Amino acid sequence: MTAARNVARRVLPPIGVFVLAIVVWAVWVQAADAPPWLFPRPAAVLRSFVNDWDKLLPSLGWTSLAALAGFIASAVVGIAIAIALSASPLMRRAFYPYTLFFQTVPIVAIAPMLIIWLGVGLQPVVVCAFIVSVFPVIANTLAGLLSTDPALADLFRLYGARPIAALWKLRLPSALPNIFTGLRIAAGLAVIGTVVAEFLVGQIVGRVGLGVRVVSAIHESRMDLAFAAVLLASLLGLAMFGTVNIAGHLALRRWHASEQ
């Protein structure tokens, strides 16, 4: 009973907010008498999920593939860069400012360039997702590595531990909460970067992801289909975030206060 009560306490509030939002949406559309091509009713979006699932499912597959590939690349490369930067204050001063490039680069501007550099295909979309999502991994992992307890670090040095042993057994475990924070942020950003890239390069690539589906639906005055595609992209981001959240809970639940 206690477990069921805890699950209900976690699940019911967001479900209640979602239901309330749907009711407000339906009432507002009905009161404003908004035309379907401008603002669809919730029932129309639901019908689009059912009637256009043969279009939405392949689009979801392509977007999921690109977002997942970009996220994995950002996790691996971001953690590796953070470890390298944490090794030397000189390296941090020399190279960390350039990692800000990944945070400030206008992805809308460079996406067409990526087509020229990488050619048509899935690669430009994956690279866009990577560029958008890698900086939070670098920044949070680096912050975690640099915040290792100095007393424990001195203890490792006192016992003659090698740097690689200190990294593996002390610094990385103590940085795990920060690493998972960066990964949670990166999971959502990877989906955003993928959809934005699909807006620009999806038609050229020839693979109809959710971003392309939104654009084509708007051109066809199918706002119900556009809303359904946007909602699917949001659910994809939530699924990736939830997966990282579960992994973080499993890794930290036995020793870190944030997951207990």
Side-chain angles (χ1 to χ4, degrees):
M1 288 297 293
T2 303
R5 193 177 296 112
N6 289 336
V7 171
R9 192 178 299 133
R10 289 173 177 267
V11 172
L12 290 180
I15 291 179
V17 171
F18 178 76
V19 172
L20 178 62
I22 295 297
V23 171
V24 171
W25 174 7
V27 171
W28 180 85
V29 171
Q30 186 69 27
D33 196 22
W37 57 265
L38 181 62
F39 211 94
R41 288 163 171 76
V45 177
L46 180 60
R47 282 195 300 270
S48 179
F49 267 112
V50 177
N51 298 333
D52 298 306
W53 188 245
D54 58 333
K55 300 177 182 178
L56 292 170
L57 183 59
S59 298
L60 176 61
W62 285 118
T63 301
S64 301
L65 178 62
L68 186 60
F71 170 73
I72 293 174
S74 69
V76 173
V77 175
I79 292 173
I81 291 176
I83 291 173
L85 294 178
S86 68
S88 167
L90 179 60
M91 288 187 64
R92 287 196 298 277
R93 289 194 296 269
F95 293 103
Y96 185 73
Y98 294 101
T99 64
L100 294 173
F101 166 82
F102 296 109
Q103 181 73 6
T104 59
V105 60
I107 198 67
V108 175
I110 71 165
M113 302 178 192
L114 292 174
I115 300 174
I116 299 174
W117 297 333
L118 302 175
V120 294
L122 197 65
Q123 294 90 340
V125 181
V126 173
V127 172
C128 286
F130 165 78
I131 291 174
V132 170
S133 60
V134 70
F135 180 76
V137 181
I138 296 174
N140 283 278
T141 302
L142 182 59
L145 292 171
L146 296 179
S147 62
T148 303
D149 189 342
L152 292 177
D154 290 340
L155 184 63
F156 267 65
R157 282 192 293 268
L158 179 65
Y159 280 93
R162 295 182 178 181
I164 188 67
L167 172 67
W168 186 251
K169 295 183 178 180
L170 174 63
R171 296 171 62 208
L172 276 176
S174 66
L176 276 179
N178 296 74
I179 292 174
F180 278 107
T181 297
L183 292 177
R184 290 184 185 100
I185 299 171
L189 290 179
V191 177
I192 294 173
T194 299
V195 173
V196 170
E198 288 174 346
F199 285 156
L200 302 171
V201 306
Q203 296 284 12
I204 300 174
V205 170
R207 295 179 173 89
V208 183
L210 291 175
V212 182
R213 188 64 64 192
V214 171
V215 173
S216 62
I218 291 174
H219 288 166
E220 297 169 4
S221 298
R222 287 285 313 280
M223 291 300 291
D224 56 336
L225 179 56
F227 269 63
V230 170
L231 183 57
L232 270 182
S234 300
L235 292 176
L236 173 60
L238 286 174
M240 291 179 61
F241 178 89
T243 302
V244 175
N245 223 27
I246 292 172
H249 175 71
L250 294 176
L252 302 174
R253 62 178 178 175
R254 294 186 180 275
W255 62 275
H256 200 267
S258 65
E259 298 294 339
Q260 292 177 350

